[in-house]
Amino acid sequence: MSKKDSLQVDQQQLAEAWARTLPTVLNTSDRAEVQADEAEANVLRVHIATAGRNNYGFDFKCTYVDSREVKVDLVDVERDGDNVDERTDVIQTLVDDYVRHIHECAQQLHSFTHS
């Protein structure tokens, strides 16, 4: 057995599993889209749209460090299609919440990613 515990699953199947699982850990009114990153096989792109009057859209880069652990980076936050300052308390609270949900989704998919 190799020491390196790398991700050994098909990226498209992984993106589809995420697309099915992520909505189950988010608020019911939020919408999520998950896509395989075309440049990196261990990366998924996650877009979460908030419901309600704020109309925020959050883009995350979710990198599999190994078959279990994901590193989540905020790429962009938009409101009605315009970039917004992601340093505000409201945005930071939402980002922290979504990062937690993304990690939760990764945990739920351990049986899929860690074989």
Side-chain angles (χ1 to χ4, degrees):
M1 185 166 140
S2 69
K3 262 174 69 172
K4 183 140 175 58
D5 177 26
S6 61
L7 190 62
Q8 301 290 322
V9 296
D10 178 76
Q11 187 185 29
Q12 196 55 49
Q13 289 179 342
L14 182 61
E16 290 166 9
W18 269 79
R20 284 189 306 271
T21 308
L22 188 56
T24 69
V25 299
L26 292 174
N27 298 323
T28 53
S29 55
D30 292 337
R31 292 184 324 280
E33 295 172 27
V34 181
Q35 295 180 322
D37 186 280
E38 293 178 11
E40 298 175 83
N42 64 327
V43 173
L44 297 173
R45 298 291 176 165
V46 177
H47 175 79
I48 299 173
T50 62
R53 56 185 168 73
N54 290 332
N55 252 357
Y56 287 120
F58 295 83
D59 292 311
F60 295 94
K61 177 181 179 183
C62 184
T63 306
Y64 269 88
V65 179
D66 58 31
S67 69
R68 291 175 183 254
E69 185 184 348
V70 292
K71 177 177 175 262
V72 181
D73 296 300
L74 176 67
V75 175
D76 191 29
V77 181
E78 293 183 345
R79 181 179 190 174
D80 294 324
D82 296 321
N83 285 353
V84 297
D85 182 0
E86 59 247 15
R87 295 170 300 199
T88 66
D89 288 345
V90 171
I91 299 291
Q92 281 302 307
T93 299
L94 286 167
V95 167
D96 291 345
D97 203 34
Y98 288 135
V99 167
R100 194 169 50 254
H101 290 314
I102 290 169
H103 281 287
E104 201 176 319
C105 182
Q107 284 182 327
Q108 289 191 19
L109 290 170
H110 273 179
S111 61
F112 183 76
T113 60
H114 187 77
S115 47

